[in-house]
Structure formats: structure tokens, C-alpha cells
Short mmCIF file of all heavy atoms in Angstrom, two decimals:
data_model
loop_
_atom_site.label_atom_id
_atom_site.label_comp_id
_atom_site.label_asym_id
_atom_site.label_seq_id
_atom_site.Cartn_x
_atom_site.Cartn_y
_atom_site.Cartn_z
N MET C 1 232.87 218.23 42.36
CA MET C 1 232.02 217.08 42.07
C MET C 1 232.15 216.70 40.59
O MET C 1 232.02 217.55 39.72
CB MET C 1 230.57 217.43 42.41
CG MET C 1 229.59 216.32 42.16
SD MET C 1 229.78 214.90 43.28
CE MET C 1 229.33 215.61 44.85
N ILE C 2 232.42 215.45 40.36
CA ILE C 2 232.55 214.94 38.98
C ILE C 2 231.33 214.09 38.66
O ILE C 2 230.94 213.22 39.44
CB ILE C 2 233.84 214.10 38.83
CG1 ILE C 2 235.06 214.99 39.08
CG2 ILE C 2 233.90 213.46 37.44
CD1 ILE C 2 236.36 214.23 39.17
N THR C 3 230.73 214.37 37.53
CA THR C 3 229.53 213.63 37.13
C THR C 3 229.88 212.60 36.07
O THR C 3 230.57 212.89 35.10
CB THR C 3 228.48 214.61 36.56
OG1 THR C 3 228.17 215.56 37.58
CG2 THR C 3 227.22 213.86 36.14
N ILE C 4 229.41 211.39 36.27
CA ILE C 4 229.63 210.29 35.34
C ILE C 4 228.28 209.85 34.80
O ILE C 4 227.33 209.65 35.57
CB ILE C 4 230.33 209.11 36.04
CG1 ILE C 4 231.73 209.52 36.48
CG2 ILE C 4 230.37 207.89 35.14
CD1 ILE C 4 232.44 208.49 37.34
N ALA C 5 228.19 209.72 33.48
CA ALA C 5 226.96 209.23 32.87
C ALA C 5 227.12 207.74 32.59
O ALA C 5 227.97 207.33 31.82
CB ALA C 5 226.67 209.98 31.57
N GLY C 6 226.31 206.94 33.26
CA GLY C 6 226.30 205.50 33.01
C GLY C 6 226.98 204.70 34.09
O GLY C 6 228.14 204.95 34.43
N ALA C 7 226.24 203.75 34.65
CA ALA C 7 226.79 202.89 35.71
C ALA C 7 227.10 201.50 35.18
O ALA C 7 226.78 200.49 35.81
CB ALA C 7 225.82 202.83 36.89
N GLY C 8 227.73 201.45 34.01
CA GLY C 8 228.28 200.18 33.52
C GLY C 8 229.66 199.99 34.13
O GLY C 8 230.06 200.73 35.05
N LEU C 9 230.40 199.02 33.64
CA LEU C 9 231.75 198.78 34.19
C LEU C 9 232.64 200.00 34.08
O LEU C 9 233.37 200.32 35.01
CB LEU C 9 232.40 197.60 33.46
CG LEU C 9 231.86 196.21 33.77
CD1 LEU C 9 232.59 195.16 32.96
CD2 LEU C 9 231.96 195.92 35.26
N ALA C 10 232.57 200.69 32.93
CA ALA C 10 233.45 201.85 32.74
C ALA C 10 233.10 202.96 33.73
O ALA C 10 234.00 203.53 34.37
CB ALA C 10 233.33 202.36 31.30
N GLY C 11 231.82 203.26 33.86
CA GLY C 11 231.40 204.32 34.77
C GLY C 11 231.73 203.99 36.22
O GLY C 11 232.24 204.83 36.97
N LEU C 12 231.46 202.74 36.61
CA LEU C 12 231.72 202.34 38.00
C LEU C 12 233.22 202.28 38.29
O LEU C 12 233.66 202.65 39.37
CB LEU C 12 231.06 200.99 38.29
CG LEU C 12 229.52 201.00 38.28
CD1 LEU C 12 228.98 199.58 38.49
CD2 LEU C 12 228.96 201.93 39.36
N ALA C 13 234.00 201.83 37.30
CA ALA C 13 235.46 201.79 37.50
C ALA C 13 236.03 203.20 37.63
O ALA C 13 236.88 203.46 38.49
CB ALA C 13 236.13 201.05 36.35
N CYS C 14 235.55 204.12 36.80
CA CYS C 14 236.00 205.52 36.91
C CYS C 14 235.61 206.09 38.26
O CYS C 14 236.41 206.77 38.91
CB CYS C 14 235.38 206.36 35.79
SG CYS C 14 236.11 206.06 34.18
N ALA C 15 234.38 205.82 38.69
CA ALA C 15 233.91 206.34 39.98
C ALA C 15 234.78 205.81 41.12
O ALA C 15 235.18 206.55 42.02
CB ALA C 15 232.44 205.94 40.20
N TYR C 16 235.10 204.52 41.05
CA TYR C 16 235.93 203.90 42.09
C TYR C 16 237.30 204.58 42.16
O TYR C 16 237.77 204.95 43.25
CB TYR C 16 236.09 202.41 41.80
CG TYR C 16 237.00 201.69 42.75
CD1 TYR C 16 236.55 201.32 44.02
CD2 TYR C 16 238.31 201.40 42.40
CE1 TYR C 16 237.38 200.66 44.90
CE2 TYR C 16 239.16 200.75 43.28
CZ TYR C 16 238.70 200.38 44.53
OH TYR C 16 239.53 199.75 45.40
N GLU C 17 237.94 204.75 41.00
CA GLU C 17 239.26 205.37 40.98
C GLU C 17 239.20 206.82 41.47
O GLU C 17 240.08 207.26 42.23
CB GLU C 17 239.85 205.33 39.57
CG GLU C 17 240.46 203.99 39.20
CD GLU C 17 241.73 203.67 40.02
OE1 GLU C 17 242.38 204.60 40.51
OE2 GLU C 17 242.04 202.48 40.18
N LEU C 18 238.19 207.54 41.05
CA LEU C 18 238.08 208.95 41.46
C LEU C 18 237.85 209.05 42.97
O LEU C 18 238.44 209.91 43.64
CB LEU C 18 236.93 209.62 40.70
CG LEU C 18 237.22 209.88 39.21
CD1 LEU C 18 235.94 210.19 38.46
CD2 LEU C 18 238.22 211.03 39.07
N LEU C 19 237.01 208.17 43.51
CA LEU C 19 236.78 208.18 44.96
C LEU C 19 238.06 207.85 45.72
O LEU C 19 238.35 208.45 46.76
CB LEU C 19 235.67 207.17 45.32
CG LEU C 19 234.25 207.61 44.95
CD1 LEU C 19 233.29 206.42 45.07
CD2 LEU C 19 233.79 208.76 45.84
N GLN C 20 238.84 206.88 45.19
CA GLN C 20 240.12 206.53 45.83
C GLN C 20 241.05 207.73 45.89
O GLN C 20 241.89 207.84 46.78
CB GLN C 20 240.82 205.42 45.04
CG GLN C 20 240.10 204.08 45.05
CD GLN C 20 240.15 203.39 46.40
OE1 GLN C 20 241.22 203.28 46.97
NE2 GLN C 20 239.02 202.98 46.91
N ARG C 21 240.90 208.64 44.91
CA ARG C 21 241.77 209.82 44.84
C ARG C 21 241.15 211.03 45.52
O ARG C 21 241.64 212.14 45.39
CB ARG C 21 242.10 210.12 43.38
CG ARG C 21 242.88 208.98 42.75
CD ARG C 21 242.98 209.12 41.27
NE ARG C 21 243.41 207.85 40.68
CZ ARG C 21 244.13 207.73 39.59
NH1 ARG C 21 244.49 208.79 38.93
NH2 ARG C 21 244.45 206.55 39.14
N GLY C 22 240.04 210.83 46.20
CA GLY C 22 239.45 211.89 47.01
C GLY C 22 238.46 212.79 46.30
O GLY C 22 238.03 213.80 46.87
N ALA C 23 238.10 212.46 45.08
CA ALA C 23 237.15 213.30 44.34
C ALA C 23 235.71 212.98 44.77
O ALA C 23 235.42 211.86 45.19
CB ALA C 23 237.31 213.08 42.84
N GLY C 24 234.86 213.94 44.63
CA GLY C 24 233.42 213.71 44.81
C GLY C 24 232.86 213.22 43.49
O GLY C 24 233.22 213.73 42.43
N VAL C 25 231.99 212.23 43.54
CA VAL C 25 231.47 211.62 42.31
C VAL C 25 229.96 211.48 42.39
O VAL C 25 229.41 211.11 43.42
CB VAL C 25 232.09 210.22 42.08
CG1 VAL C 25 231.51 209.57 40.84
CG2 VAL C 25 233.60 210.31 41.98
N ARG C 26 229.33 211.78 41.26
CA ARG C 26 227.88 211.55 41.14
C ARG C 26 227.67 210.77 39.85
O ARG C 26 228.19 211.14 38.79
CB ARG C 26 227.16 212.89 41.07
CG ARG C 26 225.66 212.76 40.83
CD ARG C 26 225.02 214.13 40.70
NE ARG C 26 225.23 214.92 41.91
CZ ARG C 26 225.15 216.24 41.96
NH1 ARG C 26 224.89 216.93 40.87
NH2 ARG C 26 225.33 216.89 43.09
N ILE C 27 226.94 209.69 39.94
CA ILE C 27 226.68 208.87 38.75
C ILE C 27 225.22 209.00 38.36
O ILE C 27 224.33 208.83 39.20
CB ILE C 27 227.00 207.38 39.01
CG1 ILE C 27 228.44 207.21 39.45
CG2 ILE C 27 226.73 206.55 37.75
CD1 ILE C 27 228.81 205.77 39.80
N TYR C 28 224.99 209.27 37.06
CA TYR C 28 223.63 209.24 36.52
C TYR C 28 223.47 207.98 35.70
O TYR C 28 224.29 207.70 34.83
CB TYR C 28 223.38 210.46 35.62
CG TYR C 28 223.12 211.72 36.40
CD1 TYR C 28 224.10 212.70 36.49
CD2 TYR C 28 221.91 211.92 37.05
CE1 TYR C 28 223.89 213.86 37.22
CE2 TYR C 28 221.68 213.08 37.77
CZ TYR C 28 222.68 214.04 37.85
OH TYR C 28 222.46 215.18 38.58
N GLU C 29 222.46 207.22 36.01
CA GLU C 29 222.18 205.99 35.26
C GLU C 29 220.75 206.08 34.73
O GLU C 29 219.83 206.35 35.49
CB GLU C 29 222.35 204.77 36.17
CG GLU C 29 221.84 203.47 35.59
CD GLU C 29 222.43 203.13 34.23
OE1 GLU C 29 223.65 203.15 34.06
OE2 GLU C 29 221.62 202.84 33.32
N ARG C 30 220.58 205.85 33.44
CA ARG C 30 219.25 206.03 32.88
C ARG C 30 218.31 204.85 33.17
O ARG C 30 217.10 205.02 33.14
CB ARG C 30 219.32 206.29 31.38
CG ARG C 30 219.71 205.09 30.55
CD ARG C 30 219.67 205.45 29.09
NE ARG C 30 220.27 204.37 28.29
CZ ARG C 30 220.54 204.46 27.01
NH1 ARG C 30 220.29 205.58 26.37
NH2 ARG C 30 221.07 203.46 26.37
N ALA C 31 218.91 203.70 33.46
CA ALA C 31 218.06 202.55 33.83
C ALA C 31 217.52 202.75 35.24
O ALA C 31 218.10 203.49 36.04
CB ALA C 31 218.87 201.26 33.75
N GLU C 32 216.43 202.09 35.55
CA GLU C 32 215.83 202.26 36.87
C GLU C 32 216.67 201.63 37.97
O GLU C 32 216.66 202.08 39.11
CB GLU C 32 214.41 201.67 36.88
CG GLU C 32 213.45 202.53 36.05
CD GLU C 32 212.02 202.10 36.21
OE1 GLU C 32 211.72 201.31 37.12
OE2 GLU C 32 211.19 202.57 35.41
N GLU C 33 217.40 200.56 37.63
CA GLU C 33 218.27 199.92 38.61
C GLU C 33 219.66 199.74 38.03
O GLU C 33 219.80 199.42 36.84
CB GLU C 33 217.73 198.53 38.99
CG GLU C 33 216.49 198.56 39.85
CD GLU C 33 216.05 197.15 40.18
OE1 GLU C 33 216.87 196.37 40.69
OE2 GLU C 33 214.89 196.84 39.89
N ILE C 34 220.67 199.91 38.86
CA ILE C 34 222.04 199.73 38.39
C ILE C 34 222.25 198.29 37.93
O ILE C 34 221.87 197.34 38.63
CB ILE C 34 223.04 200.09 39.51
CG1 ILE C 34 223.04 201.60 39.70
CG2 ILE C 34 224.45 199.60 39.18
CD1 ILE C 34 223.98 202.09 40.78
N GLY C 35 222.84 198.15 36.77
CA GLY C 35 223.18 196.82 36.27
C GLY C 35 222.19 196.26 35.28
O GLY C 35 222.55 195.41 34.46
N THR C 36 220.95 196.72 35.33
CA THR C 36 219.93 196.09 34.48
C THR C 36 220.12 196.41 33.00
O THR C 36 219.64 195.66 32.16
CB THR C 36 218.51 196.51 34.92
OG1 THR C 36 218.44 197.94 34.91
CG2 THR C 36 218.18 195.99 36.29
N ALA C 37 220.83 197.51 32.68
CA ALA C 37 221.00 197.88 31.27
C ALA C 37 222.45 197.77 30.82
O ALA C 37 222.79 198.16 29.71
CB ALA C 37 220.50 199.30 31.04
N SER C 38 223.31 197.26 31.65
CA SER C 38 224.73 197.25 31.30
C SER C 38 225.11 196.03 30.47
O SER C 38 224.49 194.96 30.58
CB SER C 38 225.59 197.28 32.57
OG SER C 38 225.48 196.07 33.28
N ALA C 39 226.13 196.19 29.65
CA ALA C 39 226.61 195.09 28.80
C ALA C 39 227.07 193.91 29.65
O ALA C 39 226.90 192.76 29.24
CB ALA C 39 227.74 195.58 27.90
N ALA C 40 227.66 194.20 30.81
CA ALA C 40 228.18 193.13 31.65
C ALA C 40 227.06 192.19 32.12
O ALA C 40 227.31 191.01 32.38
CB ALA C 40 228.91 193.72 32.87
N ARG C 41 225.86 192.67 32.21
CA ARG C 41 224.74 191.81 32.59
C ARG C 41 224.55 190.70 31.56
O ARG C 41 224.32 189.55 31.90
CB ARG C 41 223.47 192.63 32.72
CG ARG C 41 222.26 191.82 33.15
CD ARG C 41 221.04 192.71 33.20
NE ARG C 41 219.86 192.01 33.66
CZ ARG C 41 219.48 191.89 34.91
NH1 ARG C 41 220.23 192.41 35.86
NH2 ARG C 41 218.39 191.23 35.24
N PHE C 42 224.73 191.07 30.29
CA PHE C 42 224.58 190.08 29.22
C PHE C 42 225.82 189.19 29.11
O PHE C 42 225.77 188.10 28.59
CB PHE C 42 224.29 190.78 27.89
CG PHE C 42 223.02 191.56 27.94
CD1 PHE C 42 223.03 192.93 28.09
CD2 PHE C 42 221.80 190.91 27.86
CE1 PHE C 42 221.85 193.65 28.17
CE2 PHE C 42 220.61 191.62 27.94
CZ PHE C 42 220.64 192.99 28.10
N ALA C 43 226.93 189.71 29.63
CA ALA C 43 228.17 188.94 29.61
C ALA C 43 228.25 188.01 30.82
O ALA C 43 229.25 187.33 31.00
CB ALA C 43 229.37 189.88 29.59
N GLY C 44 227.24 187.98 31.64
CA GLY C 44 227.23 187.09 32.81
C GLY C 44 228.10 187.60 33.94
O GLY C 44 228.36 186.88 34.88
N GLY C 45 228.56 188.85 33.84
CA GLY C 45 229.38 189.42 34.90
C GLY C 45 230.73 188.75 35.04
O GLY C 45 231.40 188.88 36.04
N MET C 46 231.15 188.02 34.02
CA MET C 46 232.42 187.30 34.15
C MET C 46 233.61 188.23 33.91
O MET C 46 233.50 189.24 33.23
CB MET C 46 232.48 186.16 33.13
CG MET C 46 232.51 186.61 31.71
SD MET C 46 232.66 185.19 30.64
CE MET C 46 232.51 185.97 29.05
N LEU C 47 234.73 187.84 34.48
CA LEU C 47 235.98 188.55 34.26
C LEU C 47 236.94 187.53 33.66
O LEU C 47 237.43 186.65 34.35
CB LEU C 47 236.50 189.09 35.59
CG LEU C 47 237.60 190.12 35.54
CD1 LEU C 47 237.21 191.30 34.69
CD2 LEU C 47 237.90 190.59 36.95
N ALA C 48 237.13 187.58 32.36
CA ALA C 48 237.91 186.54 31.68
C ALA C 48 238.96 187.18 30.77
O ALA C 48 238.84 187.17 29.55
CB ALA C 48 236.97 185.66 30.87
N PRO C 49 240.02 187.75 31.38
CA PRO C 49 240.99 188.50 30.58
C PRO C 49 241.76 187.65 29.57
O PRO C 49 242.36 188.19 28.65
CB PRO C 49 241.93 189.08 31.63
CG PRO C 49 241.76 188.24 32.83
CD PRO C 49 240.35 187.76 32.80
N TRP C 50 241.75 186.33 29.74
CA TRP C 50 242.54 185.50 28.83
C TRP C 50 241.67 184.72 27.83
O TRP C 50 242.15 183.85 27.13
CB TRP C 50 243.38 184.49 29.62
CG TRP C 50 244.28 185.17 30.57
CD1 TRP C 50 245.46 185.81 30.28
CD2 TRP C 50 244.11 185.33 31.97
NE1 TRP C 50 246.01 186.35 31.42
CE2 TRP C 50 245.20 186.06 32.48
CE3 TRP C 50 243.12 184.92 32.88
CZ2 TRP C 50 245.34 186.39 33.82
CZ3 TRP C 50 243.25 185.24 34.21
CH2 TRP C 50 244.35 185.97 34.67
N CYS C 51 240.39 185.05 27.78
CA CYS C 51 239.48 184.22 26.98
C CYS C 51 239.75 184.32 25.48
O CYS C 51 239.36 183.43 24.73
CB CYS C 51 238.03 184.53 27.29
SG CYS C 51 237.48 186.13 26.74
N GLU C 52 240.43 185.38 25.03
CA GLU C 52 240.72 185.49 23.61
C GLU C 52 242.21 185.33 23.34
O GLU C 52 242.74 185.78 22.33
CB GLU C 52 240.21 186.84 23.09
CG GLU C 52 238.69 186.92 23.19
CD GLU C 52 238.16 188.26 22.72
OE1 GLU C 52 238.74 188.83 21.80
OE2 GLU C 52 237.17 188.71 23.29
N TYR C 53 242.88 184.66 24.25
CA TYR C 53 244.34 184.51 24.21
C TYR C 53 244.83 183.95 22.87
O TYR C 53 245.84 184.40 22.33
CB TYR C 53 244.77 183.59 25.35
CG TYR C 53 246.25 183.35 25.43
CD1 TYR C 53 247.09 184.31 25.99
CD2 TYR C 53 246.81 182.18 24.96
CE1 TYR C 53 248.45 184.10 26.07
CE2 TYR C 53 248.17 181.96 25.03
CZ TYR C 53 248.99 182.92 25.59
OH TYR C 53 250.33 182.71 25.66
N GLU C 54 244.12 182.97 22.32
CA GLU C 54 244.61 182.28 21.11
C GLU C 54 244.46 183.10 19.84
O GLU C 54 245.12 182.82 18.85
CB GLU C 54 243.87 180.95 20.94
CG GLU C 54 244.23 179.95 22.02
CD GLU C 54 243.45 178.67 21.90
OE1 GLU C 54 242.81 178.45 20.86
OE2 GLU C 54 243.46 177.89 22.86
N SER C 55 243.59 184.11 19.87
CA SER C 55 243.30 184.81 18.62
C SER C 55 243.60 186.30 18.65
O SER C 55 243.34 187.01 17.68
CB SER C 55 241.83 184.60 18.26
OG SER C 55 241.01 185.10 19.30
N THR C 56 244.14 186.80 19.77
CA THR C 56 244.35 188.24 19.85
C THR C 56 245.83 188.58 19.99
O THR C 56 246.68 187.70 20.04
CB THR C 56 243.54 188.83 21.03
OG1 THR C 56 243.53 190.24 20.90
CG2 THR C 56 244.17 188.45 22.36
N GLU C 57 246.11 189.88 20.04
CA GLU C 57 247.50 190.32 20.15
C GLU C 57 247.98 190.25 21.60
O GLU C 57 247.19 190.35 22.53
CB GLU C 57 247.60 191.77 19.66
CG GLU C 57 247.25 191.91 18.19
CD GLU C 57 246.67 193.27 17.86
OE1 GLU C 57 246.99 194.24 18.56
OE2 GLU C 57 245.89 193.34 16.91
N GLU C 58 249.29 190.15 21.75
CA GLU C 58 249.88 190.04 23.07
C GLU C 58 249.50 191.22 23.98
O GLU C 58 249.27 191.06 25.17
CB GLU C 58 251.41 189.95 22.94
CG GLU C 58 252.16 189.87 24.25
CD GLU C 58 251.73 188.68 25.11
OE1 GLU C 58 251.43 187.62 24.55
OE2 GLU C 58 251.69 188.85 26.36
N GLU C 59 249.42 192.40 23.38
CA GLU C 59 249.09 193.58 24.18
C GLU C 59 247.72 193.46 24.84
O GLU C 59 247.52 193.89 25.98
CB GLU C 59 249.14 194.84 23.31
CG GLU C 59 248.98 196.11 24.12
CD GLU C 59 249.05 197.36 23.26
OE1 GLU C 59 248.97 197.25 22.03
OE2 GLU C 59 249.18 198.44 23.86
N VAL C 60 246.77 192.87 24.13
CA VAL C 60 245.42 192.71 24.68
C VAL C 60 245.47 191.77 25.88
O VAL C 60 244.85 192.02 26.92
CB VAL C 60 244.45 192.17 23.60
CG1 VAL C 60 243.08 191.86 24.21
CG2 VAL C 60 244.33 193.17 22.46
N VAL C 61 246.25 190.69 25.75
CA VAL C 61 246.38 189.74 26.85
C VAL C 61 247.06 190.41 28.04
O VAL C 61 246.64 190.26 29.19
CB VAL C 61 247.18 188.50 26.39
CG1 VAL C 61 247.40 187.54 27.55
CG2 VAL C 61 246.47 187.81 25.23
N SER C 62 248.11 191.19 27.75
CA SER C 62 248.84 191.88 28.81
C SER C 62 247.93 192.87 29.55
O SER C 62 247.92 192.91 30.79
CB SER C 62 250.03 192.61 28.19
OG SER C 62 250.64 193.47 29.12
N LEU C 63 247.17 193.64 28.79
CA LEU C 63 246.27 194.61 29.42
C LEU C 63 245.18 193.88 30.23
O LEU C 63 244.78 194.35 31.29
CB LEU C 63 245.62 195.49 28.34
CG LEU C 63 246.57 196.51 27.68
CD1 LEU C 63 245.90 197.17 26.49
CD2 LEU C 63 247.00 197.57 28.69
N GLY C 64 244.73 192.75 29.72
CA GLY C 64 243.73 191.97 30.45
C GLY C 64 244.26 191.50 31.79
O GLY C 64 243.55 191.53 32.80
N GLY C 65 245.53 191.08 31.81
CA GLY C 65 246.14 190.65 33.05
C GLY C 65 246.25 191.78 34.05
O GLY C 65 245.98 191.61 35.24
N ARG C 66 246.63 192.96 33.55
CA ARG C 66 246.71 194.13 34.45
C ARG C 66 245.35 194.48 35.00
O ARG C 66 245.20 194.85 36.16
CB ARG C 66 247.30 195.32 33.69
CG ARG C 66 248.82 195.22 33.56
CD ARG C 66 249.40 196.29 32.67
NE ARG C 66 248.93 197.63 33.00
CZ ARG C 66 249.08 198.67 32.19
NH1 ARG C 66 249.72 198.51 31.04
NH2 ARG C 66 248.63 199.85 32.52
N ALA C 67 244.31 194.39 34.15
CA ALA C 67 242.96 194.69 34.61
C ALA C 67 242.52 193.70 35.67
O ALA C 67 241.88 194.07 36.66
CB ALA C 67 241.99 194.66 33.42
N PHE C 68 242.88 192.45 35.48
CA PHE C 68 242.52 191.41 36.45
C PHE C 68 243.17 191.71 37.80
O PHE C 68 242.53 191.59 38.85
CB PHE C 68 242.96 190.04 35.91
CG PHE C 68 242.42 188.90 36.70
CD1 PHE C 68 241.08 188.56 36.63
CD2 PHE C 68 243.26 188.16 37.51
CE1 PHE C 68 240.57 187.49 37.36
CE2 PHE C 68 242.75 187.10 38.25
CZ PHE C 68 241.42 186.77 38.17
N ASP C 69 244.46 192.09 37.78
CA ASP C 69 245.15 192.44 39.02
C ASP C 69 244.47 193.62 39.72
O ASP C 69 244.32 193.64 40.93
CB ASP C 69 246.61 192.80 38.74
CG ASP C 69 247.43 191.57 38.36
OD1 ASP C 69 246.98 190.45 38.65
OD2 ASP C 69 248.49 191.75 37.75
N TRP C 70 244.08 194.60 38.89
CA TRP C 70 243.42 195.79 39.45
C TRP C 70 242.12 195.41 40.15
O TRP C 70 241.82 195.86 41.23
CB TRP C 70 243.17 196.79 38.32
CG TRP C 70 242.43 198.01 38.74
CD1 TRP C 70 242.95 199.14 39.31
CD2 TRP C 70 241.04 198.27 38.62
NE1 TRP C 70 241.97 200.06 39.55
CE2 TRP C 70 240.78 199.55 39.14
CE3 TRP C 70 239.95 197.52 38.13
CZ2 TRP C 70 239.51 200.11 39.18
CZ3 TRP C 70 238.70 198.07 38.17
CH2 TRP C 70 238.48 199.34 38.69
C1 LIG T 101 227.99 188.43 25.72
C2 LIG T 101 229.13 189.34 26.12
C3 LIG T 101 230.36 188.78 26.55
C4 LIG T 101 231.42 189.61 26.89
N1 LIG T 101 232.58 189.04 27.35
C5 LIG T 101 233.60 189.83 27.76
C6 LIG T 101 234.82 189.24 28.30
O1 LIG T 101 234.99 188.04 28.37
N2 LIG T 101 235.80 190.09 28.70
C7 LIG T 101 235.66 191.44 28.63
O2 LIG T 101 236.59 192.16 29.03
N3 LIG T 101 234.53 192.02 28.14
C8 LIG T 101 233.51 191.24 27.70
N4 LIG T 101 232.38 191.81 27.19
C9 LIG T 101 232.35 193.25 27.02
C10 LIG T 101 232.08 194.00 28.32
O3 LIG T 101 231.01 193.37 29.01
C11 LIG T 101 231.73 195.42 27.92
O4 LIG T 101 232.74 195.97 27.09
C12 LIG T 101 231.61 196.31 29.13
O5 LIG T 101 230.74 195.75 30.10
C13 LIG T 101 231.08 197.67 28.68
O6 LIG T 101 230.97 198.49 29.80
P1 LIG T 101 230.59 200.01 29.65
O7 LIG T 101 230.50 200.57 31.03
O8 LIG T 101 231.48 200.67 28.66
O9 LIG T 101 229.15 200.03 28.92
P2 LIG T 101 227.72 199.51 29.42
O10 LIG T 101 227.80 198.28 30.24
O11 LIG T 101 226.87 199.48 28.19
O12 LIG T 101 227.21 200.66 30.41
C14 LIG T 101 226.70 201.87 29.95
C15 LIG T 101 225.68 202.33 30.98
O13 LIG T 101 225.35 203.69 30.68
C16 LIG T 101 223.95 203.85 30.77
N5 LIG T 101 223.65 204.99 29.92
C17 LIG T 101 223.74 205.05 28.57
N6 LIG T 101 223.44 206.28 28.15
C18 LIG T 101 223.17 207.02 29.27
C19 LIG T 101 222.80 208.38 29.47
N7 LIG T 101 222.64 209.23 28.45
N8 LIG T 101 222.59 208.82 30.76
C20 LIG T 101 222.75 207.96 31.81
N9 LIG T 101 223.11 206.65 31.66
C21 LIG T 101 223.31 206.20 30.40
C22 LIG T 101 223.37 202.51 30.32
O14 LIG T 101 222.07 202.31 30.81
C23 LIG T 101 224.38 201.53 30.93
O15 LIG T 101 224.02 201.13 32.24
C24 LIG T 101 231.28 191.02 26.82
C25 LIG T 101 230.06 191.58 26.42
C26 LIG T 101 228.99 190.76 26.06
C27 LIG T 101 227.66 191.41 25.64
#
């Protein structure tokens, strides 16, 4: 059993990948409800990998595209 602290995007993404690979996962979230304390809630839950295209490095854009595909 693998324990993850925090049910933000990072914690949930790790849990998803670990479950896909057959691991047992337990998530501890300090907020009373999942999502209410996560940064993504303030970000509007958007997925915008190209939003900083004009001002960032190519690698950031490339990684954003891979994340979007994932
Ligand atoms: C306004 C805004 C716009 C953004 N726009 C973009 C964008 O366009 N593209 C992009 O890629 N990213 C964007 N981001 C950034 C992105 O939202 C964050 O980087 C990402 O959501 C962070 O996820 P996380 O899981 O690392 O952290 P968090 O979402 O902060 O999750 C951490 C979780 O852990 C919990 N926690 C903390 N400590 C403990 C503990 N000790 N025990 C148990 N639980 C705990 C918290 O309650 C929380 O739920 C934006 C962010 C903001 C605020």
C-alpha cells in the first residue's frame, strides 16, 4: 500500500498512475472535501498547456503537450 499526502492534481495523478500499475493506494487529504483546498480549484480546473507559449521555453510547451495527451 502506497500512501499519498494531498489530493491535488499531483496526488491524484500519482494515484492514477500507481493504480494503473497495480499498486494499492491510499490518499490522505487534509481538507474536508477533495478539491476544496487544491490550487486547481483557484485555476478554474482548466488544462491549458499552451497558455504561456509566447513567453516560455520550448521544453515547457513540449512537456505541456505531453501532459495534455496523457
Ligand atoms: C490562478 C491559477 C492558474 C493556474 N493556471 C495553470 C495553467 O494554466 N496550467 C497549469 O499547468 N497550471 C496552472 N496553475 C497551477 C496548477 O493549478 C498547480 O500547479 C497545480 O494544481 C498544483 O497541484 P498540486 O497537487 O501540486 O498542489 P495542490 O493543488 O495545492 O494540492 C495539494 C493538496 O494537498 C493537501 N495537503 C497539503 N498538506 C497536506 C497534508 N499535510 N496532509 C494531507 N493533505 C495535505 C491540500 O489540502 C491540497 O488539497 C494555476 C494555478 C493558479 C492558482
Side-chain angles (χ1 to χ4, degrees):
M1 180 68 66
I2 297 171
T3 300
I4 295 173
L9 287 179
L12 293 176
C14 286
Y16 176 79
E17 280 292 336
L18 288 165
L19 286 168
Q20 294 289 311
R21 297 169 195 211
V25 178
R26 176 183 300 159
I27 303 177
Y28 283 105
E29 169 54 51
R30 71 177 170 189
E32 289 189 13
E33 288 180 54
I34 288 180
T36 55
S38 69
R41 182 182 182 89
F42 298 102
M46 66 177 175
L47 195 54
W50 302 283
C51 69
E52 296 178 33
Y53 180 79
E54 292 177 13
S55 59
T56 193
E57 296 151 28
E58 178 57 36
E59 187 179 14
V60 174
V61 177
S62 170
L63 289 171
R66 282 173 48 195
F68 191 72
D69 289 341
W70 177 84

